[in-house]
Amino acid sequence: QVQLVESGGGLVQPGGSLRLSCAASGSISSINAMGWYRQAPGKERELVAAVSSGGSTNYADSVKDRFTISRENAKNTIYLRMNSLKPEDTAVYYCNLKQRTLPPRDYWGQGTQVTVSS
């Protein structure tokens, strides 16, 4: 019922910046949370940043001073502005939607590759 489409990934040098976008469409509850997860080769998927429909945010400690998540509720779209990128930020970044339905439902995008390399 829900589709998430990510964009904005690519190759960037250390210290550079990228902005990821994720547009959600379909039957979306007004009460939800959207966020970004990432998964590097050989590692588990981890939360990067999330924002609720009420505007509260949370970040992984490794990115909280460098990344900013934002949301346009009317468009069901979130963004992740990534500054001061490091090689360890290299991963596939996935958009996530958590619907506050009964039962709660979790949706994922296909992912977008971010590579930080000289």
Side-chain angles (χ1 to χ4, degrees):
Q1 300 278 35
V2 174
Q3 183 178 15
L4 304 176
V5 180
E6 302 122 323
S7 63
L11 174 65
V12 64
Q13 294 189 143
S17 299
L18 286 173
R19 190 179 78 156
L20 306 183
S21 300
C22 173
S25 61
S27 182
I28 301 171
S29 172
S30 61
I31 302 176
N32 62 71
M34 296 183 69
W36 294 95
Y37 291 70
R38 68 186 181 188
Q39 188 168 22
K43 296 184 178 180
E44 295 183 351
R45 187 173 299 186
E46 64 175 352
L47 174 68
V48 177
V51 57
S52 73
S53 54
S56 62
T57 60
N58 62 87
Y59 296 88
D61 288 340
S62 60
V63 308
K64 65 187 303 180
D65 296 324
R66 300 182 294 120
F67 293 7
T68 302
I69 190 169
S70 59
R71 178 171 183 152
E72 295 186 55
N73 286 338
K75 298 181 179 180
N76 290 314
T77 299
I78 61 167
Y79 308 91
L80 185 68
R81 184 68 182 182
M82 304 184 293
N83 295 323
S84 302
L85 282 162
K86 304 175 180 180
E88 50 262 46
D89 296 317
T90 296
V92 178
Y93 285 69
Y94 296 92
C95 184
N96 170 263
L97 170 66
K98 298 184 183 294
Q99 296 238 72
R100 300 305 188 188
T101 52
L102 295 175
R105 292 184 174 88
D106 215 21
Y107 301 91
W108 296 91
Q110 293 183 357
T112 183
Q113 177 71 47
V114 172
T115 302
V116 185
S117 179
S118 299

Short mmCIF file of all heavy atoms in Angstrom, two decimals, residues 55-112:
data_model
loop_
_atom_site.label_atom_id
_atom_site.label_comp_id
_atom_site.label_asym_id
_atom_site.label_seq_id
_atom_site.Cartn_x
_atom_site.Cartn_y
_atom_site.Cartn_z
N GLY A 55 7.35 16.11 14.67
CA GLY A 55 8.53 16.93 14.50
C GLY A 55 9.72 16.57 15.37
O GLY A 55 10.78 17.19 15.24
N SER A 56 9.57 15.60 16.26
CA SER A 56 10.71 15.21 17.09
C SER A 56 11.71 14.42 16.27
O SER A 56 11.34 13.66 15.37
CB SER A 56 10.25 14.42 18.30
OG SER A 56 9.62 13.21 17.91
N THR A 57 12.99 14.59 16.58
CA THR A 57 14.05 13.94 15.83
C THR A 57 14.99 13.19 16.75
O THR A 57 15.09 13.49 17.94
CB THR A 57 14.87 14.96 15.02
OG1 THR A 57 15.46 15.91 15.92
CG2 THR A 57 13.98 15.70 14.03
N ASN A 58 15.68 12.23 16.19
CA ASN A 58 16.77 11.59 16.89
C ASN A 58 17.82 11.15 15.88
O ASN A 58 17.51 10.88 14.72
CB ASN A 58 16.30 10.42 17.78
CG ASN A 58 15.66 9.30 17.00
OD1 ASN A 58 16.35 8.40 16.52
ND2 ASN A 58 14.34 9.34 16.88
N TYR A 59 19.07 11.08 16.34
CA TYR A 59 20.20 10.79 15.48
C TYR A 59 21.11 9.77 16.12
O TYR A 59 21.22 9.68 17.35
CB TYR A 59 21.03 12.06 15.24
CG TYR A 59 20.33 13.16 14.51
CD1 TYR A 59 19.57 14.11 15.19
CD2 TYR A 59 20.43 13.28 13.13
CE1 TYR A 59 18.93 15.13 14.52
CE2 TYR A 59 19.79 14.30 12.45
CZ TYR A 59 19.05 15.23 13.14
OH TYR A 59 18.42 16.25 12.47
N ALA A 60 21.80 9.02 15.28
CA ALA A 60 22.90 8.21 15.77
C ALA A 60 24.01 9.12 16.26
O ALA A 60 24.24 10.20 15.71
CB ALA A 60 23.42 7.30 14.65
N ASP A 61 24.70 8.69 17.31
CA ASP A 61 25.77 9.51 17.87
C ASP A 61 26.84 9.85 16.83
O ASP A 61 27.43 10.94 16.86
CB ASP A 61 26.41 8.82 19.06
CG ASP A 61 25.51 8.79 20.28
OD1 ASP A 61 24.57 9.59 20.35
OD2 ASP A 61 25.77 7.95 21.18
N SER A 62 27.09 8.95 15.91
CA SER A 62 28.14 9.14 14.94
C SER A 62 27.85 10.21 13.90
O SER A 62 28.76 10.66 13.20
CB SER A 62 28.44 7.82 14.23
OG SER A 62 27.30 7.34 13.55
N VAL A 63 26.58 10.64 13.80
CA VAL A 63 26.22 11.60 12.76
C VAL A 63 25.55 12.85 13.30
O VAL A 63 25.31 13.79 12.53
CB VAL A 63 25.29 10.97 11.70
CG1 VAL A 63 25.88 9.68 11.17
CG2 VAL A 63 23.89 10.73 12.26
N LYS A 64 25.25 12.92 14.59
CA LYS A 64 24.37 13.96 15.12
C LYS A 64 24.91 15.38 14.93
O LYS A 64 24.12 16.33 14.87
CB LYS A 64 24.07 13.70 16.60
CG LYS A 64 25.27 13.79 17.53
CD LYS A 64 24.93 13.35 18.95
CE LYS A 64 23.78 14.16 19.52
NZ LYS A 64 23.46 13.73 20.92
N ASP A 65 26.20 15.56 14.82
CA ASP A 65 26.78 16.88 14.62
C ASP A 65 27.03 17.20 13.16
O ASP A 65 27.48 18.31 12.83
CB ASP A 65 28.10 17.01 15.39
CG ASP A 65 27.92 16.92 16.89
OD1 ASP A 65 26.89 17.42 17.40
OD2 ASP A 65 28.81 16.35 17.56
N ARG A 66 26.73 16.26 12.27
CA ARG A 66 27.04 16.44 10.85
C ARG A 66 25.83 16.32 9.94
O ARG A 66 25.81 16.92 8.87
CB ARG A 66 28.09 15.41 10.42
CG ARG A 66 29.40 15.51 11.18
CD ARG A 66 30.42 14.49 10.67
NE ARG A 66 29.99 13.12 10.96
CZ ARG A 66 29.79 12.19 10.03
NH1 ARG A 66 29.96 12.48 8.74
NH2 ARG A 66 29.43 10.96 10.37
N PHE A 67 24.83 15.52 10.34
CA PHE A 67 23.67 15.27 9.50
C PHE A 67 22.45 15.98 10.06
O PHE A 67 22.32 16.16 11.28
CB PHE A 67 23.35 13.77 9.43
CG PHE A 67 24.38 12.92 8.73
CD1 PHE A 67 25.59 13.45 8.30
CD2 PHE A 67 24.12 11.58 8.49
CE1 PHE A 67 26.53 12.65 7.66
CE2 PHE A 67 25.04 10.78 7.84
CZ PHE A 67 26.24 11.32 7.43
N THR A 68 21.52 16.34 9.19
CA THR A 68 20.27 16.96 9.59
C THR A 68 19.12 16.32 8.84
O THR A 68 19.14 16.28 7.60
CB THR A 68 20.27 18.47 9.33
OG1 THR A 68 21.37 19.09 10.01
CG2 THR A 68 18.97 19.10 9.82
N ILE A 69 18.14 15.82 9.57
CA ILE A 69 16.94 15.28 8.95
C ILE A 69 15.84 16.33 9.00
O ILE A 69 15.70 17.06 9.98
CB ILE A 69 16.50 13.97 9.63
CG1 ILE A 69 15.39 13.29 8.81
CG2 ILE A 69 16.06 14.20 11.06
CD1 ILE A 69 15.08 11.86 9.26
N SER A 70 15.07 16.41 7.93
CA SER A 70 13.96 17.34 7.87
C SER A 70 12.78 16.66 7.19
O SER A 70 12.93 15.62 6.54
CB SER A 70 14.35 18.63 7.15
OG SER A 70 14.78 18.37 5.83
N ARG A 71 11.60 17.28 7.32
CA ARG A 71 10.38 16.65 6.86
C ARG A 71 9.41 17.67 6.32
O ARG A 71 9.25 18.75 6.90
CB ARG A 71 9.75 15.87 8.02
CG ARG A 71 8.44 15.19 7.72
CD ARG A 71 8.03 14.29 8.86
NE ARG A 71 6.80 13.57 8.55
CZ ARG A 71 6.46 12.39 9.03
NH1 ARG A 71 7.27 11.78 9.88
NH2 ARG A 71 5.33 11.82 8.68
N GLU A 72 8.76 17.33 5.22
CA GLU A 72 7.65 18.10 4.69
C GLU A 72 6.42 17.20 4.77
O GLU A 72 6.21 16.35 3.91
CB GLU A 72 7.90 18.53 3.25
CG GLU A 72 9.06 19.50 3.10
CD GLU A 72 9.19 20.01 1.68
OE1 GLU A 72 8.19 20.56 1.15
OE2 GLU A 72 10.29 19.87 1.10
N ASN A 73 5.60 17.39 5.80
CA ASN A 73 4.48 16.50 6.04
C ASN A 73 3.46 16.51 4.91
O ASN A 73 2.88 15.47 4.59
CB ASN A 73 3.79 16.87 7.36
CG ASN A 73 4.59 16.45 8.57
OD1 ASN A 73 5.43 15.55 8.50
ND2 ASN A 73 4.32 17.08 9.71
N ALA A 74 3.21 17.67 4.32
CA ALA A 74 2.23 17.77 3.26
C ALA A 74 2.62 16.95 2.05
O ALA A 74 1.75 16.50 1.30
CB ALA A 74 2.02 19.23 2.87
N LYS A 75 3.91 16.74 1.86
CA LYS A 75 4.40 15.96 0.73
C LYS A 75 4.81 14.54 1.12
O LYS A 75 5.21 13.76 0.25
CB LYS A 75 5.60 16.66 0.09
CG LYS A 75 5.30 18.03 -0.49
CD LYS A 75 6.54 18.63 -1.12
CE LYS A 75 6.25 19.99 -1.73
NZ LYS A 75 7.47 20.59 -2.33
N ASN A 76 4.72 14.22 2.41
CA ASN A 76 5.21 12.93 2.92
C ASN A 76 6.63 12.67 2.42
O ASN A 76 6.95 11.58 1.93
CB ASN A 76 4.27 11.80 2.53
CG ASN A 76 2.96 11.87 3.28
OD1 ASN A 76 2.94 12.06 4.50
ND2 ASN A 76 1.85 11.69 2.56
N THR A 77 7.47 13.67 2.56
CA THR A 77 8.83 13.61 2.07
C THR A 77 9.80 13.96 3.19
O THR A 77 9.55 14.88 3.97
CB THR A 77 9.03 14.58 0.90
OG1 THR A 77 8.16 14.21 -0.17
CG2 THR A 77 10.46 14.55 0.39
N ILE A 78 10.90 13.22 3.27
CA ILE A 78 11.96 13.54 4.21
C ILE A 78 13.26 13.73 3.45
O ILE A 78 13.44 13.24 2.33
CB ILE A 78 12.14 12.47 5.31
CG1 ILE A 78 12.51 11.12 4.69
CG2 ILE A 78 10.90 12.36 6.17
CD1 ILE A 78 13.01 10.11 5.72
N TYR A 79 14.17 14.44 4.11
CA TYR A 79 15.48 14.72 3.55
C TYR A 79 16.54 14.43 4.59
O TYR A 79 16.29 14.50 5.79
CB TYR A 79 15.59 16.19 3.12
CG TYR A 79 14.47 16.64 2.22
CD1 TYR A 79 13.31 17.20 2.74
CD2 TYR A 79 14.57 16.50 0.84
CE1 TYR A 79 12.28 17.61 1.92
CE2 TYR A 79 13.54 16.91 0.00
CZ TYR A 79 12.40 17.47 0.55
OH TYR A 79 11.38 17.87 -0.28
N LEU A 80 17.71 14.11 4.13
CA LEU A 80 18.86 13.95 5.00
C LEU A 80 20.01 14.74 4.41
O LEU A 80 20.56 14.36 3.37
CB LEU A 80 19.24 12.48 5.17
CG LEU A 80 20.38 12.21 6.17
CD1 LEU A 80 19.92 12.53 7.60
CD2 LEU A 80 20.85 10.77 6.08
N ARG A 81 20.35 15.85 5.05
CA ARG A 81 21.49 16.65 4.64
C ARG A 81 22.72 16.12 5.35
O ARG A 81 22.76 16.11 6.59
CB ARG A 81 21.27 18.12 4.97
CG ARG A 81 22.39 19.04 4.47
CD ARG A 81 22.41 19.09 2.96
NE ARG A 81 23.49 19.92 2.44
CZ ARG A 81 23.69 20.16 1.15
NH1 ARG A 81 22.88 19.66 0.25
NH2 ARG A 81 24.71 20.91 0.78
N MET A 82 23.69 15.69 4.60
CA MET A 82 24.89 15.08 5.14
C MET A 82 26.08 15.97 4.83
O MET A 82 26.42 16.17 3.65
CB MET A 82 25.10 13.68 4.55
CG MET A 82 23.91 12.75 4.76
SD MET A 82 24.21 11.07 4.16
CE MET A 82 24.31 11.39 2.39
N ASN A 83 26.70 16.50 5.87
CA ASN A 83 27.87 17.34 5.74
C ASN A 83 29.08 16.65 6.35
O ASN A 83 28.95 15.72 7.15
CB ASN A 83 27.66 18.69 6.44
CG ASN A 83 26.58 19.52 5.80
OD1 ASN A 83 26.42 19.53 4.58
ND2 ASN A 83 25.83 20.25 6.62
N SER A 84 30.26 17.11 5.99
CA SER A 84 31.51 16.58 6.54
C SER A 84 31.56 15.07 6.45
O SER A 84 31.88 14.37 7.42
CB SER A 84 31.69 17.05 7.99
OG SER A 84 31.70 18.46 8.08
N LEU A 85 31.26 14.55 5.29
CA LEU A 85 31.17 13.11 5.10
C LEU A 85 32.52 12.44 5.30
O LEU A 85 33.56 12.98 4.92
CB LEU A 85 30.61 12.79 3.73
CG LEU A 85 29.09 12.95 3.62
CD1 LEU A 85 28.66 13.06 2.17
CD2 LEU A 85 28.38 11.78 4.30
N LYS A 86 32.48 11.25 5.89
CA LYS A 86 33.65 10.46 6.17
C LYS A 86 33.57 9.13 5.43
O LYS A 86 32.46 8.67 5.11
CB LYS A 86 33.76 10.19 7.68
CG LYS A 86 33.77 11.43 8.54
CD LYS A 86 33.76 11.07 10.02
CE LYS A 86 33.76 12.29 10.90
NZ LYS A 86 33.74 11.94 12.34
N PRO A 87 34.70 8.49 5.18
CA PRO A 87 34.66 7.17 4.52
C PRO A 87 33.77 6.17 5.25
O PRO A 87 33.12 5.34 4.60
CB PRO A 87 36.12 6.73 4.52
CG PRO A 87 36.89 8.01 4.47
CD PRO A 87 36.09 8.97 5.32
N GLU A 88 33.72 6.24 6.58
CA GLU A 88 32.89 5.32 7.34
C GLU A 88 31.39 5.57 7.16
O GLU A 88 30.57 4.78 7.64
CB GLU A 88 33.25 5.35 8.83
CG GLU A 88 33.33 6.74 9.42
CD GLU A 88 34.74 7.28 9.49
OE1 GLU A 88 35.47 7.16 8.47
OE2 GLU A 88 35.13 7.82 10.54
N ASP A 89 31.02 6.66 6.50
CA ASP A 89 29.62 6.89 6.15
C ASP A 89 29.19 6.10 4.92
O ASP A 89 28.01 6.09 4.58
CB ASP A 89 29.35 8.38 5.92
CG ASP A 89 29.56 9.22 7.16
OD1 ASP A 89 29.12 8.79 8.25
OD2 ASP A 89 30.14 10.32 7.04
N THR A 90 30.13 5.49 4.24
CA THR A 90 29.83 4.72 3.04
C THR A 90 28.88 3.57 3.38
O THR A 90 29.17 2.75 4.25
CB THR A 90 31.11 4.17 2.40
OG1 THR A 90 31.92 5.26 1.96
CG2 THR A 90 30.79 3.29 1.21
N ALA A 91 27.75 3.51 2.69
CA ALA A 91 26.74 2.50 2.96
C ALA A 91 25.60 2.68 1.97
O ALA A 91 25.53 3.67 1.25
CB ALA A 91 26.20 2.63 4.39
N VAL A 92 24.70 1.71 1.96
CA VAL A 92 23.42 1.88 1.31
C VAL A 92 22.48 2.51 2.33
O VAL A 92 22.33 1.98 3.44
CB VAL A 92 22.85 0.56 0.78
CG1 VAL A 92 21.47 0.78 0.16
CG2 VAL A 92 23.79 -0.05 -0.24
N TYR A 93 21.86 3.60 1.97
CA TYR A 93 20.96 4.31 2.85
C TYR A 93 19.51 4.00 2.46
O TYR A 93 19.13 4.14 1.29
CB TYR A 93 21.20 5.82 2.78
CG TYR A 93 22.45 6.25 3.52
CD1 TYR A 93 23.71 5.90 3.05
CD2 TYR A 93 22.36 6.97 4.71
CE1 TYR A 93 24.85 6.26 3.73
CE2 TYR A 93 23.50 7.34 5.40
CZ TYR A 93 24.74 6.98 4.91
OH TYR A 93 25.88 7.36 5.60
N TYR A 94 18.73 3.57 3.45
CA TYR A 94 17.36 3.15 3.23
C TYR A 94 16.38 4.09 3.92
O TYR A 94 16.56 4.43 5.09
CB TYR A 94 17.13 1.74 3.78
CG TYR A 94 17.93 0.66 3.09
CD1 TYR A 94 19.18 0.29 3.56
CD2 TYR A 94 17.42 0.01 1.98
CE1 TYR A 94 19.91 -0.70 2.94
CE2 TYR A 94 18.15 -0.99 1.35
CZ TYR A 94 19.39 -1.34 1.84
OH TYR A 94 20.12 -2.33 1.22
N CYS A 95 15.35 4.47 3.21
CA CYS A 95 14.26 5.24 3.79
C CYS A 95 13.29 4.29 4.48
O CYS A 95 13.00 3.21 3.97
CB CYS A 95 13.55 6.03 2.70
SG CYS A 95 12.24 7.12 3.29
N ASN A 96 12.79 4.72 5.63
CA ASN A 96 11.90 3.90 6.43
C ASN A 96 10.67 4.70 6.85
O ASN A 96 10.78 5.88 7.18
CB ASN A 96 12.63 3.39 7.68
CG ASN A 96 11.71 2.72 8.68
OD1 ASN A 96 11.28 3.35 9.64
ND2 ASN A 96 11.42 1.44 8.46
N LEU A 97 9.52 4.05 6.84
CA LEU A 97 8.28 4.61 7.34
C LEU A 97 7.69 3.66 8.37
O LEU A 97 7.48 2.48 8.07
CB LEU A 97 7.28 4.83 6.21
CG LEU A 97 5.84 5.19 6.62
CD1 LEU A 97 5.79 6.55 7.30
CD2 LEU A 97 4.92 5.15 5.41
N LYS A 98 7.45 4.17 9.56
CA LYS A 98 6.78 3.41 10.62
C LYS A 98 5.40 4.01 10.82
O LYS A 98 5.27 5.14 11.28
CB LYS A 98 7.59 3.48 11.92
CG LYS A 98 8.97 2.85 11.82
CD LYS A 98 9.68 2.86 13.16
CE LYS A 98 11.08 2.31 13.03
NZ LYS A 98 11.06 0.87 12.68
N GLN A 99 4.37 3.22 10.47
CA GLN A 99 2.99 3.68 10.59
C GLN A 99 2.44 3.30 11.96
O GLN A 99 2.60 2.16 12.40
CB GLN A 99 2.12 3.05 9.50
CG GLN A 99 2.50 3.47 8.10
CD GLN A 99 1.36 4.12 7.38
OE1 GLN A 99 0.99 5.26 7.70
NE2 GLN A 99 0.77 3.41 6.42
N ARG A 100 1.78 4.24 12.61
CA ARG A 100 1.17 3.99 13.92
C ARG A 100 -0.25 3.47 13.73
O ARG A 100 -1.22 4.04 14.21
CB ARG A 100 1.18 5.26 14.76
CG ARG A 100 2.57 5.82 15.04
CD ARG A 100 3.47 4.77 15.67
NE ARG A 100 4.73 5.34 16.11
CZ ARG A 100 5.76 4.66 16.55
NH1 ARG A 100 5.69 3.33 16.64
NH2 ARG A 100 6.87 5.27 16.92
N THR A 101 -0.33 2.36 13.02
CA THR A 101 -1.58 1.65 12.81
C THR A 101 -1.67 0.49 13.79
O THR A 101 -0.74 0.25 14.56
CB THR A 101 -1.67 1.14 11.37
OG1 THR A 101 -0.49 0.38 11.06
CG2 THR A 101 -1.78 2.29 10.39
N LEU A 102 -2.79 -0.21 13.78
CA LEU A 102 -2.97 -1.40 14.61
C LEU A 102 -3.12 -2.62 13.72
O LEU A 102 -4.16 -2.80 13.07
CB LEU A 102 -4.20 -1.25 15.50
CG LEU A 102 -4.14 -0.15 16.56
CD1 LEU A 102 -5.46 -0.03 17.30
CD2 LEU A 102 -3.01 -0.42 17.54
N PRO A 103 -2.12 -3.49 13.67
CA PRO A 103 -0.81 -3.33 14.31
C PRO A 103 0.07 -2.33 13.56
O PRO A 103 -0.22 -2.00 12.41
CB PRO A 103 -0.22 -4.75 14.22
CG PRO A 103 -0.79 -5.28 12.95
CD PRO A 103 -2.20 -4.73 12.88
N PRO A 104 1.13 -1.85 14.19
CA PRO A 104 2.06 -0.96 13.48
C PRO A 104 2.67 -1.66 12.28
O PRO A 104 2.87 -2.88 12.28
CB PRO A 104 3.12 -0.64 14.54
CG PRO A 104 2.45 -0.89 15.85
CD PRO A 104 1.52 -2.04 15.60
N ARG A 105 2.96 -0.88 11.25
CA ARG A 105 3.54 -1.42 10.03
C ARG A 105 4.81 -0.67 9.65
O ARG A 105 4.92 0.54 9.88
CB ARG A 105 2.54 -1.38 8.87
CG ARG A 105 1.37 -2.33 9.04
CD ARG A 105 0.46 -2.31 7.83
NE ARG A 105 -0.58 -3.32 7.91
CZ ARG A 105 -1.76 -3.14 8.50
NH1 ARG A 105 -2.07 -1.98 9.05
NH2 ARG A 105 -2.65 -4.12 8.52
N ASP A 106 5.73 -1.39 9.06
CA ASP A 106 7.05 -0.88 8.72
C ASP A 106 7.26 -1.03 7.22
O ASP A 106 7.03 -2.11 6.66
CB ASP A 106 8.11 -1.67 9.49
CG ASP A 106 9.30 -0.85 9.91
OD1 ASP A 106 9.20 0.39 9.99
OD2 ASP A 106 10.36 -1.46 10.18
N TYR A 107 7.71 0.04 6.56
CA TYR A 107 7.93 0.03 5.13
C TYR A 107 9.33 0.53 4.82
O TYR A 107 9.87 1.38 5.53
CB TYR A 107 6.90 0.90 4.40
CG TYR A 107 5.47 0.47 4.62
CD1 TYR A 107 4.72 1.00 5.66
CD2 TYR A 107 4.87 -0.48 3.80
CE1 TYR A 107 3.42 0.61 5.88
CE2 TYR A 107 3.56 -0.87 4.00
CZ TYR A 107 2.84 -0.33 5.05
OH TYR A 107 1.54 -0.73 5.25
N TRP A 108 9.90 0.02 3.73
CA TRP A 108 11.27 0.34 3.35
C TRP A 108 11.37 0.71 1.88
O TRP A 108 10.68 0.15 1.03
CB TRP A 108 12.19 -0.86 3.61
CG TRP A 108 12.31 -1.23 5.04
CD1 TRP A 108 11.54 -2.12 5.72
CD2 TRP A 108 13.24 -0.70 5.98
NE1 TRP A 108 11.94 -2.20 7.04
CE2 TRP A 108 12.99 -1.34 7.22
CE3 TRP A 108 14.27 0.23 5.90
CZ2 TRP A 108 13.73 -1.06 8.37
CZ3 TRP A 108 15.01 0.51 7.04
CH2 TRP A 108 14.74 -0.13 8.25
N GLY A 109 12.27 1.65 1.59
CA GLY A 109 12.63 1.92 0.22
C GLY A 109 13.68 0.93 -0.27
O GLY A 109 14.15 0.06 0.47
N GLN A 110 14.05 1.05 -1.53
CA GLN A 110 15.02 0.14 -2.13
C GLN A 110 16.46 0.47 -1.77
O GLN A 110 17.34 -0.38 -1.93
CB GLN A 110 14.87 0.12 -3.65
CG GLN A 110 13.55 -0.47 -4.13
CD GLN A 110 13.46 -0.54 -5.64
OE1 GLN A 110 14.36 -0.10 -6.36
NE2 GLN A 110 12.37 -1.11 -6.14
N GLY A 111 16.71 1.66 -1.30
CA GLY A 111 18.04 2.07 -0.89
C GLY A 111 18.75 2.89 -1.96
O GLY A 111 18.49 2.74 -3.15
N THR A 112 19.65 3.75 -1.50
CA THR A 112 20.48 4.54 -2.40
C THR A 112 21.92 4.50 -1.88
O THR A 112 22.17 4.64 -0.69
CB THR A 112 19.96 5.99 -2.51
OG1 THR A 112 20.75 6.72 -3.46
CG2 THR A 112 19.99 6.71 -1.17
#
